[in-house]
């Protein structure tokens, strides 16, 4: 964990291709913010979603950063080598009964939503109706989900966007921690790594702002100190 008052920031690209203008803005903004605070700046390669990763893209990204003079203040870490940390976090959530196995296929979820009379969607994803919250009823576990807490609206203050709020239960639903294909979900991996690396300040693109409430919920469940967030245009 970070020393008291110390700033540790990070840039956490997914190696799905070379950095583009938008991701370079996030890289530069996170680096500048770290420098402005006299802090450290780390780089983490988020290669958990292996089907989306492009071989060699990590090297290209690191070269692009170096070419811009953005040098990390510590070793670059790869999420693909940190599965044991994600498993330990999942185990902790299971022990608290806030992670549960889910047997539902996409079709099961769609059918349950139709049967309930209202289909909820978010960014093209169906909002999970909570079917497996009360057990698998003899079906096979495919994935693990986080049990969102009913009635709780997550509130936080973004350093650029100001006061934010999201009703995760209603708008997102019980989200995936470990996927049916065995891969770790971004939400779990990012929260575990930010805590393990002692990240105090997250500066990233505004397209990721929507994930913040889920990440704050997970941090709270895992007993982690929440970082400060700044989402760049
Ligand atoms: N790996 C994510 C992406 O490239 C960013 C994660 C984050 O900054 O929280 O979209």
């Amino acid at each position: 964990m970070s020393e008291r008052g110390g700033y540790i920031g990070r840039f956490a690209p997914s190696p799905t291709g070379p950095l583009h203008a938008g991701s370079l803005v996030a890289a530069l903004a996170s680096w500048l913010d770290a420098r402005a605070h006299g802090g450290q700046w780390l780089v983490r390669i988020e290669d958990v979603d292996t089907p989306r990763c492009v071989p060699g893209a990590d090297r290209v990204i690191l070269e692009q950063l170096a070419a811009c003079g953005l040098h990390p203040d510590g070793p670059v870490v790869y999420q693909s080598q940190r599965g044991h940390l994600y498993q330990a976090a999942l185990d902790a959530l299971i022990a608290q009964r806030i992670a549960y196995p889910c047997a539902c296929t996409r079709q099961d979820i769609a059918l349950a939503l139709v049967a309930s009379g209202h289909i909820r969607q978010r960014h093209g994803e169906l909002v999970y109706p909570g079917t497996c919250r009360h057990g698998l009823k003899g079906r096979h576990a495919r994935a693990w989900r986080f049990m969102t807490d009913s009635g709780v609206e997550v509130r936080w203050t973004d350093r650029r966007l100001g006061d934010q709020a999201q009703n995760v239960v209603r708008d997102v639903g019980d989200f995936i921690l470990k996927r049916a294909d065995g891969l770790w979900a971004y939400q779990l991996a990012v929260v575990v790594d930010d805590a393990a690396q002692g990240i105090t300040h997250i500066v990233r693109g505004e397209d990721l702002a929507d994930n913040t409430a889920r990440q704050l919920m997970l941090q709270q469940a895992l007993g982690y100190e929440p970082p400060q967030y700044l989402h760049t245009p």
Side-chain angles (χ1 to χ4, degrees), residues 10-13 19-34 41-43 61 64-65 68 70 203-205 232:
R10 50 71 158 180
F11 175 55
L19 297 178
H20 48 79
S23 40
L24 271 166
V25 167
L28 182 58
S30 62
W31 181 87
L32 280 171
D33 199 51
W41 181 74
L42 303 178
V43 173
I61 289 172
Q64 287 179 292
L65 293 173
C68 297
L70 309 182
V203 177
R204 61 185 180 189
T232 61

Side-chain angles (χ1 to χ4, degrees), residues 10 12-14 44 46 186 190 194 202-204 207-208 215:
R10 50 71 158 180
S14 302
R44 181 172 70 232
E46 301 213 317
Y186 157 66
V190 79
D194 284 333
I202 292 177
V203 177
R204 61 185 180 189
D207 56 321
L208 293 162
Q215 294 171 12

Side-chain angles (χ1 to χ4, degrees), residues 17-141:
L19 297 178
H20 48 79
S23 40
L24 271 166
V25 167
L28 182 58
S30 62
W31 181 87
L32 280 171
D33 199 51
R35 288 293 169 268
H37 285 83
Q40 293 180 51
W41 181 74
L42 303 178
V43 173
R44 181 172 70 232
I45 302 290
E46 301 213 317
D47 56 351
V48 272
D49 191 354
T50 39
R52 289 187 56 230
C53 294
V54 173
D58 58 321
R59 206 174 20 79
V60 173
I61 289 172
L62 296 172
E63 283 167 9
Q64 287 179 292
L65 293 173
C68 297
L70 309 182
H71 304 289
D73 298 314
V76 175
V77 304
Y78 284 74
Q79 288 191 322
S80 54
Q81 292 163 21
R82 297 165 69 83
H84 58 289
L85 297 175
Y86 314 142
Q87 186 64 55
L90 177 61
D91 290 343
L93 295 172
I94 294 169
Q96 293 179 65
R97 296 183 186 282
I98 38 185
Y100 66 91
C102 175
C104 295
T105 60
R106 243 176 254 278
Q107 198 191 9
D108 294 334
I109 297 170
L111 289 173
L113 287 171
V114 169
S116 76
H118 63 251
I119 297 183
R120 289 182 296 159
Q121 270 200 21
R122 182 176 187 79
H123 308 315
E125 280 278 324
L126 296 170
V127 173
Y128 186 61
T131 316
C132 292
R133 270 189 168 214
H134 309 293
L136 295 172
K137 309 206 162 64
R139 295 176 306 150
H140 264 306

